[in-house]
């Protein structure tokens, strides 16, 4: 059976035409797109995607969270569905590949499979998840489908209650329909997503395809270094309990420690505030926001401990008190080992080089980690750029990624 589909490839010209049209919707004129969830451009792209689905003769589906999909039945009533896709929304002034490549390649895979008339044991569904970028709620559509959203979650959208509900109305959704988007575990056989890497690993290594092993987990804290306010002119340097010095020493030491002891991890201090906050007062307090990520749960916990020890050591060194407030924690989401293997084998068959790597960014795939086996495929991002108009992936790499998606789908779904 393998012979019959291992030679099947996507129609690169058809996918290119669709992708070029897609990139013109919400185009910013400098190579980027702005398709913020439920903006005019986003509603326009959704309408266009629907017409593409219907014009190709697929069943169009929309659920209560506004997830749009093309459905190809295998003809077996009780068969579960293999889902694959990504998102058509973007950040403001984002790139034209993020999410869009995953949805366009998903539709192209569906078209290619339909034309091939290969017999399937699973239904196939190419999906565009609503608001992956979290204009309103992070991973909104995929979380709703996975049953992770509650009425409470809907009360605190990033965009504010008023804007969120007016946006829902524009899209014909309500709080109630969103909660109905949940699907049963047994109805979903797996979820696959092709995405641009949004980092430089593949490009730097000259590798065609990244088989994703995990989406990194993270931890975040508010750290407050507490010292004493003093006259910045008359207090000698050695007499100061300078919270700013302690916090700054910590920030520099974080970089050193992560690069030395945690090579697969990253850490970031994204915000710092000194109080009282004047050039002539020694800072009595420095509040900072720390975030760190790792693809490995054990390592994430070691990193957490290491960072807290470091913060205490720097506070001690400068005679400061330290307050630590955990803000969030999320363990890494692991991709299915079977799907990873399937994608790697497909790379071998197609003569493409591949490597296993973790995703530093979040993706819809992680919403489904406790629902079904998940898998992700990365293609190289030129200069690692993303969430910006200069985001770019060579077309050849996009087609390679689509073919690996196609082969992975077939290996999982063909009889
Ligand atoms: Zn994305």
């Amino acid at each position: 059976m393998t012979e019959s589909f291992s030679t099947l490839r996507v129609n690169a010209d058809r996918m290119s035409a669709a992708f070029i049209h897609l990139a013109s919707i919400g185009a910013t004129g400098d190579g980027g797109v702005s398709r913020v969830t439920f903006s005019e451009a986003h509603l326009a792209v959704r309408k266009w995607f629907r017409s593409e689905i219907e014009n190709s003769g697929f069943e169009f589906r929309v659920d209560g969270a506004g997830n749009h999909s093309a459905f190809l039945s295998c003809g077996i009533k009780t068969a579960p569905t293999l889902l694959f896709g990504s998102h058509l929304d973007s950040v403001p002034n984002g790139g034209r590949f993020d999410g869009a490549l995953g949805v366009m390649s998903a539709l192209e895979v569906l078209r290619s499979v339909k034309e091939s008339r290969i017999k399937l044991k699973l239904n196939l569904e190419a999906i565009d998840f609503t608001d992956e970028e979290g204009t309103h709620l992070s991973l909104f559509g995929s979380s709703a489908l996975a049953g992770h959203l509650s009425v409470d979650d809907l009360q605190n959208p990033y965009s504010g209650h008023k804007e969120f509900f007016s946006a829902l109305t524009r899209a014909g959704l309500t709080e109630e329909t969103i909660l109905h988007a949940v699907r049963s575990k047994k109805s979903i056989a797996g979820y696959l997503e092709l995405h641009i890497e949004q980092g430089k690993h593949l490009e730097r290594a000259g590798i065609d395809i990244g088989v994703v092993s995990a989406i990194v987990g993270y931890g975040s804290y508010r750290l407050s270094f507490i010292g004493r306010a003093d006259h910045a002119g008359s207090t000698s340097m050695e007499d100061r309990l300078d919270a700013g010095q302690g916090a700054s020493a910590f920030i520099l030491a974080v970089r050193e420690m992560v690069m030395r002891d945690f090579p697969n991890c990253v850490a970031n201090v994204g915000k710092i505030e000194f109080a009282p906050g004047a050039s002539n007062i020694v800072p009595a307090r420095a509040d900072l926001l720390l975030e760190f990520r790792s693809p490995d749960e054990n390592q994430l916990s070691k990193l957490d401990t290491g960072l807290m020890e470091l913060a205490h050591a720097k506070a001690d060194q400068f005679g400061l008190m330290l307050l630590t407030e955990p803000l969030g924690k999320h363990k890494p989401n692991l991709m299915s080992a079977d799907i990873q293997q399937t994608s790697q084998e497909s790379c071998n068959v197609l003569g493409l080089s591949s490597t296993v790597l973790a995703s530093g960014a979040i993706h819809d795939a992680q919403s489904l980690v406790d629902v079904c086996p998940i898998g992700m495929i990365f293609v190289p991002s030129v200069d690692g750029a993303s969430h910006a108009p200069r985001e770019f992936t060579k077309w050849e790499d996009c087609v390679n990624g689509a073919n690996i998606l196609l082969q992975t789908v077939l290996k999982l779904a063909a009889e």
Side-chain angles (χ1 to χ4, degrees):
M1 182 40 96
T2 312
E3 278 89 321
S4 71
F5 67 67
S6 65
T7 54
L8 190 67
R9 300 289 179 267
V10 297
N11 181 332
D13 290 341
R14 180 171 56 192
M15 183 167 120
S16 169
F19 188 82
I20 288 166
H21 188 92
L22 171 66
S24 73
I25 304 174
T28 50
D30 52 3
V33 295
S34 256
R35 290 194 300 256
V36 174
T37 301
F38 300 145
S39 64
E40 217 169 284
H42 185 237
L43 294 176
V45 86
R46 286 161 64 80
K47 200 172 158 200
W48 172 78
F49 184 52
R50 177 179 184 155
S51 68
E52 284 288 288
I53 292 170
E54 289 174 339
N55 293 342
S56 303
F58 293 113
E59 180 187 336
F60 169 75
R61 292 190 171 184
V62 54
D63 68 15
N67 298 315
H68 280 181
S69 54
F71 189 81
L72 178 65
S73 169
C74 68
I76 305 165
K77 252 198 176 151
T78 53
T81 298
L82 179 62
L83 271 174
F84 42 98
S86 196
H87 59 97
L88 292 179
D89 68 308
S90 79
V91 295
N93 295 306
R96 61 194 192 276
F97 295 86
D98 179 0
L101 175 63
V103 177
M104 279 304 92
S105 57
L107 182 61
E108 177 52 39
V109 163
L110 213 61
R111 285 167 162 161
S112 301
V113 174
K114 188 179 176 217
E115 283 169 357
S116 76
R117 298 174 184 273
I118 288 171
K119 191 121 178 57
L120 303 171
K121 61 182 177 195
L122 300 175
N123 303 312
L124 300 185
E125 185 173 341
I127 192 160
D128 162 32
F129 283 120
T130 307
D131 198 20
E132 189 271 352
E133 299 290 2
T135 300
H136 306 285
L137 288 166
S138 187
L139 307 180
F140 170 58
S142 52
S143 299
L145 184 143
H148 295 157
L149 287 184
S150 66
V151 177
D152 277 356
D153 297 323
L154 301 179
Q155 299 314 309
N156 295 302
Y158 298 131
S159 51
H161 208 260
K162 196 169 159 230
E163 171 51 28
F164 180 50
F165 282 94
S166 95
L168 287 182
T169 306
R170 286 200 294 280
L173 305 173
T174 69
E175 215 171 323
E176 212 193 321
T177 63
I178 293 165
L179 299 176
H180 289 157
V182 58
R183 297 201 202 174
S184 73
K185 282 188 186 186
K186 68 174 193 326
S187 71
I188 306 178
Y191 175 71
L192 303 172
E193 183 166 353
L194 169 64
H195 205 280
I196 54 167
E197 184 200 340
Q198 306 177 287
K200 290 186 187 182
H201 294 95
L202 294 174
E203 186 187 52
R204 197 172 270 156
I207 289 174
D208 300 318
I209 297 287
V211 176
V212 180
S213 56
I215 295 174
V216 294
Y218 70 88
S220 61
Y221 283 91
R222 176 178 288 112
L223 299 181
S224 306
F225 292 81
I226 315 258
R228 187 182 61 213
D230 268 309
H231 194 292
S234 56
T235 312
S236 67
M237 293 305 275
E238 63 266 26
D239 288 339
R240 299 177 187 208
L241 298 177
D242 187 332
Q245 293 286 326
S248 305
F250 169 70
I251 294 172
L252 293 173
V254 165
R255 174 181 160 88
E256 219 171 87
M257 186 186 82
V258 172
M259 290 180 76
R260 186 188 59 227
D261 302 333
F262 298 92
N264 294 323
C265 303
V266 291
N268 182 52
V269 174
K271 190 176 181 188
I272 185 161
E273 252 169 26
F274 291 166
S279 64
N280 59 0
I281 312 171
V282 173
R285 179 174 179 133
D287 292 293
L288 59 83
L289 294 180
L290 167 73
E291 191 210 70
F292 48 96
R293 303 186 190 212
S294 167
D296 179 87
E297 195 172 354
N298 194 17
Q299 200 181 35
L300 184 68
S301 130
K302 279 187 187 154
L303 178 59
D304 189 336
T305 309
L307 288 167
M308 289 308 103
E309 282 172 3
L310 190 61
H312 281 287
K314 289 299 163 191
D316 286 350
Q317 190 185 333
F318 288 84
L320 309 171
M321 212 175 83
L322 179 73
L323 303 177
T324 63
E325 184 195 345
L327 297 177
K329 203 167 203 172
H330 200 290
K331 62 178 188 182
N333 294 123
L334 303 183
M335 302 292 142
S336 145
D338 284 349
I339 295 179
Q340 285 181 58
Q341 202 189 335
T342 305
S343 295
Q344 263 175 323
E345 282 166 12
S346 304
C347 290
N348 296 341
V349 171
L350 269 74
L352 299 171
S353 55
S354 69
T355 187
V356 173
L357 81 183
S359 171
I362 65 167
H363 294 288
D364 285 313
Q366 72 196 68
S367 300
L368 286 95
V369 72
D370 54 359
V371 175
C372 62
I374 57 172
M376 286 194 77
I377 300 154
F378 278 174
V379 284
S381 292
V382 171
D383 202 29
S386 188
H387 282 191
R390 67 191 179 94
E391 175 184 286
F392 186 71
T393 293
K394 291 181 200 145
W395 186 245
E396 187 192 340
D397 289 329
C398 294
V399 175
N400 285 342
N403 277 321
I404 297 303
L405 178 67
L406 170 65
Q407 286 298 315
T408 307
V409 163
L410 288 173
K411 286 196 179 108
L412 297 173
E415 264 190 345

